[in-house]
Amino acid sequence: MNEHTTSTQPGAEHGVTPVDGATEALPVTTALPPVSPEQVEESSSRVGDEPTLRMEVPQAPPAPAPVEQPAPAAAPTPVTEVRGEPTTGRDGAPYVTVVLPCYNEGEHVLQEIDRITAAMEASEFTYELLCIDDASTDNTLQVLHDAANRYPNIRVMPFRRNGGSGTARRIGTQQAYGEIVVWTDADMTYENERIPELVRILRDDESYDQVVGARTTEEGTHKWARVPAKWLIRKIAEKLSNEKIPDLNSGLRAFRREVSLPYLRLLPPGFSCVTTITLAFLHNQHDIKYVPTSYAKRAGVSKFHFVRDAYRYILQVLRLVMYFNPLKVLLPPALWMVGIGVVKAVVDMVRHPFYFPASTVLLLVSGMMIGSVALLADLVVRSRDGV
């Protein structure tokens, strides 16, 4: 035997007989390291009845898996109509709410809805059309429900009792979802296709809080009396507010809902609500932009009563100025009465020394009383919290 003996066959020390063809061992110069059970596994295959043993050869580390490359982005689909990025409100709410009061407008309200919807659909604004039926006695409510089935952006709000145009606009503004609220009429008189134009002014210029469609013509009923009466009321409002007002009571206007909320409680139930919202904004330094617009002959029957509504307009102007600036209303007559009383007292003293007629005393006392009320009213206004 060679002096360099062969090492024991792997697995012999475990009492396993090598398979045929594996009896001759290769000469080695060093002993193999001990094989651990983890490095030995029995082959599941057998040659005859004899099991085989094999060394587990260390495998090379697996190659890293190929990194999946992102698929190239698909080419953008060409757009045939460009309307800009849609302007939406907060939390996905519509950006614009159009408040449309309706009272016995069943014959033509659907035409007005079609016109407003077409204009808003062609714009970049999300919107809702809030149609308020003010307890109409015709088929207005049925027409509004039919329109709501056709247009998904319509909300119908029926009243059980007639509350007037001002009440409908006030509640509609309070219930609006949009940041911008638009007031208009359902009698086909205003250019409602220009509503997106008014809204764009507010969106693009944050210095304005209200945009009014200032009418360039007068096509209402009792035109012979309305034109001078409205001119007089507008001049009184301009004098008391120190502002130029091209159209005091236009029914087409857009404004920021958040700004208007404190003034909604001041709105009267009738037509003078538009005058109220104008003066309320002006007296609180909210800028208004006037956009010239045409005014068509109304469809249907007018609900305007000249004597009653003209009186309400004048009364509402005085009430609002008293609410925001009472000195504007009360101080001028107080000063005039005191001044006339002083002049009359001097004349009476010259004509009848130390004799003051009752009329002179009445002028002086009345002027001082009105002046005192004016100062107290101004003190109340200045100490009032909020609006």
Side-chain angles (χ1 to χ4, degrees):
M1 181 180 291
N2 194 331
E3 60 181 357
H4 298 286
T5 59
T6 59
S7 62
T8 307
Q9 292 294 325
E13 60 188 21
H14 297 280
V16 181
T17 305
V19 296
D20 294 342
T23 56
E24 293 185 5
L26 294 175
V28 293
T29 56
T30 57
L32 291 176
V35 181
S36 62
E38 289 80 2
Q39 293 174 312
V40 180
E41 71 175 8
E42 276 188 8
S43 175
S44 59
S45 63
R46 294 177 180 270
V47 180
D49 295 331
E50 298 177 357
T52 61
L53 285 179
R54 62 180 178 179
M55 290 277 299
E56 183 179 7
V57 181
Q59 300 292 329
V67 179
E68 183 179 355
Q69 299 295 332
T77 304
V79 179
T80 57
E81 179 184 1
V82 178
R83 287 169 40 182
E85 290 295 329
T87 303
T88 59
R90 300 184 182 94
D91 300 327
Y95 184 68
V96 181
T97 295
V98 181
V99 178
L100 188 67
C102 306
Y103 179 65
N104 291 344
E105 311 282 2
E107 295 182 359
H108 48 267
V109 66
L110 185 58
Q111 303 175 39
E112 196 70 87
I113 290 175
D114 291 339
R115 187 162 60 136
I116 295 173
T117 303
M120 296 305 299
E121 288 290 341
S123 71
E124 66 274 24
F125 302 110
T126 58
Y127 75 99
E128 66 168 340
L129 178 56
L130 181 56
C131 301
I132 301 177
D133 177 63
D134 196 12
S136 299
T137 57
D138 63 356
N139 65 333
T140 298
L141 183 58
Q142 182 60 44
V143 173
L144 294 179
H145 283 308
D146 293 342
N149 293 330
R150 290 175 49 190
Y151 298 109
N153 292 31
I154 290 182
R155 275 201 296 153
V156 178
M157 181 181 296
F159 286 175
R160 294 185 178 179
R161 297 183 302 276
N162 182 267
S165 175
T167 301
R169 288 188 168 103
R170 173 176 58 83
I171 296 177
T173 304
Q174 291 171 338
Q175 298 296 321
Y177 294 145
E179 297 179 27
I180 303 298
V181 174
V182 177
W183 286 358
T184 188
D185 290 339
D187 54 10
M188 307 297 292
T189 53
Y190 291 102
E191 293 183 292
N192 287 332
E193 61 272 8
R194 297 182 61 185
I195 288 177
E197 177 185 345
L198 306 184
V199 177
R200 286 189 193 100
I201 296 175
L202 293 175
R203 182 197 62 184
D204 298 337
D205 191 345
E206 295 185 356
S207 64
Y208 290 110
D209 292 317
Q210 185 173 175
V211 181
V212 177
R215 296 164 293 183
T216 56
T217 59
E218 175 59 63
E219 298 294 339
T221 57
H222 307 96
K223 185 175 179 179
W224 59 272
R226 285 171 66 117
V227 172
K230 290 174 68 173
W231 178 87
L232 177 61
I233 296 173
R234 180 165 56 86
K235 289 302 178 182
I236 293 174
E238 289 180 347
K239 181 67 176 178
L240 294 177
S241 62
N242 293 327
E243 294 284 348
K244 181 70 175 177
I245 306 176
D247 193 345
L248 180 62
N249 59 335
S250 171
L252 176 60
R253 59 188 61 223
F255 52 87
R256 305 187 192 278
R257 177 179 179 272
E258 186 176 357
V259 176
S260 70
L261 289 179
Y263 313 120
L264 295 181
R265 61 187 179 86
L266 304 177
L267 298 184
F271 291 101
S272 52
C273 62
V274 290
T275 302
T276 303
I277 202 70
T278 300
L279 293 176
F281 271 53
L282 291 176
H283 276 287
N284 287 275
Q285 300 301 313
H286 299 297
D287 291 334
I288 300 177
K289 183 177 180 63
Y290 296 92
V291 178
T293 183
S294 62
Y295 188 69
K297 185 176 179 60
R298 88 174 317 278
V301 180
S302 174
K303 288 83 176 176
F304 182 85
H305 299 84
F306 174 73
V307 176
R308 182 186 65 189
D309 290 322
Y311 169 75
R312 288 178 178 176
Y313 271 126
I314 297 176
L315 185 62
Q316 186 65 13
V317 169
L318 294 176
R319 180 185 293 123
L320 278 176
V321 177
M322 278 287 296
Y323 185 84
F324 291 112
N325 191 0
L327 293 180
K328 274 279 187 180
V329 178
L330 297 177
L331 198 57
L335 294 177
W336 273 103
M337 294 178 73
V338 170
I340 294 174
V342 170
V343 172
K344 191 173 185 301
V346 172
V347 173
D348 291 338
M349 281 289 293
V350 173
R351 294 179 60 186
H352 308 284
F354 301 103
Y355 173 74
F356 292 100
S359 58
T360 303
V361 176
L362 183 62
L363 281 171
L364 291 172
V365 173
S366 298
M368 288 186 291
M369 289 180 63
I370 295 175
S372 300
V373 172
L375 294 176
L376 287 174
D378 183 69
L379 181 62
V380 170
V381 169
R382 295 180 181 278
S383 61
R384 182 177 58 210
D385 292 333
V387 179

